[in-house]
Amino acid sequence: QVQLVESGGGLVQAGGSLRLSCVASGRTFSNYNMGWFRQAPGKEREFVAAISSSGGATYYADSVKGRFTISRGNAKNTVYLQMNSLKPEDTAVYYCAADWTPSTVVAGAAHYWGQGTQVTVSS
């Protein structure tokens, strides 16, 4: 069992930045590929970014490429999402996910999910 707890969400003006964190516990963090997803009101959950277990490979949705950066600190059991140049359309609940294969994470079928953290971007 893996427990994921997100933090770092909040209210920010358009053009601003936030860094989300997701702390994992319960199993060996470095075995898992990690991802971030988001869900806006009335919309389906969508993929944002993912990172391989070693951190050597990253994947991004086109909508965030060049603005968001995913990284991980295996010693701290934490995955991060640095979000720059935020736009009102980035407003959503952001979820952390973990699984044994990167393709499963990217597909949104990860085995483990956090409870989410709210990000609100004002115009």
Side-chain angles (χ1 to χ4, degrees):
Q1 191 78 1
V2 174
Q3 293 80 41
L4 303 173
V5 178
E6 303 95 335
S7 62
L11 173 64
V12 63
Q13 288 189 329
S17 299
L18 281 175
R19 188 175 82 154
L20 305 183
S21 299
C22 171
V23 178
S25 61
R27 292 289 176 91
T28 305
F29 178 70
S30 58
N31 287 344
Y32 291 88
N33 301 274
M34 305 296 296
W36 287 96
F37 287 74
R38 65 187 182 187
Q39 187 167 20
K43 294 188 176 181
E44 292 188 355
R45 185 175 62 194
E46 65 174 356
F47 169 73
V48 175
I51 188 167
S52 63
S53 56
S54 67
T58 55
Y59 314 85
Y60 294 95
D62 288 342
S63 59
V64 306
K65 212 171 282 185
R67 299 188 299 122
F68 291 11
T69 302
I70 189 170
S71 61
R72 65 189 295 159
N74 284 350
K76 294 186 177 182
N77 289 358
T78 304
V79 62
Y80 306 96
L81 185 68
Q82 178 67 43
M83 305 186 295
N84 298 330
S85 303
L86 282 162
K87 305 175 181 179
E89 50 264 44
D90 294 318
T91 295
V93 177
Y94 283 71
Y95 298 91
C96 177
D99 205 279
W100 297 278
T101 60
S103 59
T104 305
V105 173
V106 172
H111 201 75
Y112 301 106
W113 293 85
Q115 293 299 307
T117 185
Q118 175 72 47
V119 171
T120 303
V121 184
S122 63
S123 56

